[in-house]
Amino acid sequence: MSSPVQKRRPQTAQQFVLAELRRAITSGELRPGDQIVQDSLAARFEVSRVPLREALKALEAEGLVVHHIHRGYFVAELSLADLEEIYRIRELLETEAVRVAVPLLPDAALTTLEHIQEEVERAADAGDVPAMAAANRRFHFTLVEASAMPRLVRLVTTLWDSTDAYRSLYYADRPHRDQAVHEHRAVLSALRAGDTDTVVRHLDDHRAHAVAALRKVLDTDRR
C-alpha cells in the first residue's frame, strides 16, 4: 500500500521535493533564516540526497533559499530595503495589469473572485494561515491573469514567490487577517462597479498595509 507521501508524489522525486519544500517555506513552516537540514528532510520525504539537492538548487535560483559554503542551505531572508523594493515593483506591474484587466473582466471571473474570497474569509476565521495565504494568492492572480499578459504575470509570480514566507508571518496575527478580508471586500465592490481607479487605490492600500506590518516584523527580528 502506498504511503500518504507517495500518493501526493508527482511525476519525479525532484518535483515532489520541490513542491514540498516550497510549501514549507511559503506556509511559514520553514521561516526566513531557518537552516534546511538535508538528512532529516531526505528521510521525511523518503528520497535520496540527489533530488533534494536538485530541488534546493531550483529554489536558490528562485531566491527562496540561499547557500553558504561550509554551512549549507538556509531559507532566504529579506532586508527591509529588499522587501520595499519588491513591493514597489509589484505596485508598478500589478497596477498595469489591473488597469488592463478590469475593463475586460468577464462576469465569470468576478464570480470566481467572490468564491475565492469566501475561502479567504473561512481560512481567516479559522486561523488557517497556509490556507489563507493560498486563497489570497489565487484572489490576486485571478485578477492579474485577466490582463492576458503572460510575461507580466510571470514577473509578478517571481516577486510573489520571493515574499511568500513573509506573507505567512503577516497572516499569523488576527488583526492582519481581518484587515486583508476588509480590503479584499473593498476591491470586490469596486470591481462590481467597474471602477478601475478605485480598484487600484484599494490594492495600493492593501500592499502598503502589508509592508508597514512586515517592517515591524523585520525590525523585531533584528533586535
Side-chain angles (χ1 to χ4, degrees), residues 159-180:
L159 296 170
W160 273 70
D161 287 345
S162 65
T163 55
D164 266 340
Y166 288 87
R167 198 168 294 107
S168 293
L169 293 177
Y170 175 64
Y171 288 142
D173 291 340
R174 180 61 190 254
H176 296 158
R177 297 197 300 272
D178 291 343
Q179 182 162 11

Side-chain angles (χ1 to χ4, degrees), residues 12-89:
T12 69
Q14 181 185 337
Q15 289 173 333
F16 165 74
V17 175
L18 182 60
E20 287 296 303
L21 279 175
R22 186 180 286 114
R23 180 201 59 75
I25 293 169
T26 58
S27 69
E29 179 183 339
L30 287 172
R31 294 167 63 92
D34 281 356
Q35 184 170 15
I36 297 171
V37 183
Q38 294 187 48
D39 287 338
S40 64
L41 286 176
R44 169 181 167 183
F45 297 148
E46 301 173 17
V47 298
S48 71
R49 292 282 294 273
V50 174
L52 182 59
R53 283 197 299 267
E54 292 303 312
L56 286 168
K57 288 178 183 177
L59 290 173
E60 184 179 19
E62 294 177 13
L64 285 179
V65 304
V66 294
H67 182 258
H68 298 299
I69 297 174
H70 306 309
R71 295 178 59 207
Y73 284 93
F74 294 78
V75 180
E77 294 182 275
L78 291 176
S79 68
L80 179 57
D82 289 334
L83 190 75
E84 290 177 335
E85 181 182 3
I86 289 167
Y87 270 77
R88 174 59 178 150
I89 298 170

Side-chain angles (χ1 to χ4, degrees), residues 146-219:
S147 67
M149 292 191 287
R151 289 178 177 81
L152 186 150
V153 172
R154 285 197 293 272
L155 290 172
V156 173
T157 299
T158 299
L159 296 170
W160 273 70
D161 287 345
S162 65
T163 55
D164 266 340
Y166 288 87
R167 198 168 294 107
S168 293
L169 293 177
Y170 175 64
Y171 288 142
D173 291 340
R174 180 61 190 254
H176 296 158
R177 297 197 300 272
D178 291 343
Q179 182 162 11
V181 164
H182 173 76
E183 289 163 352
H184 278 202
R185 288 176 180 172
V187 169
L188 278 173
S189 179
L191 284 171
R192 293 188 195 101
D195 187 342
T196 303
D197 288 341
T198 301
V199 172
V200 168
R201 178 169 55 81
H202 286 316
L203 289 171
D204 286 347
D205 290 343
H206 190 44
R207 283 185 295 269
H209 292 152
V211 170
L214 290 171
R215 185 180 294 117
K216 295 178 181 178
V217 169
L218 292 174
D219 285 342

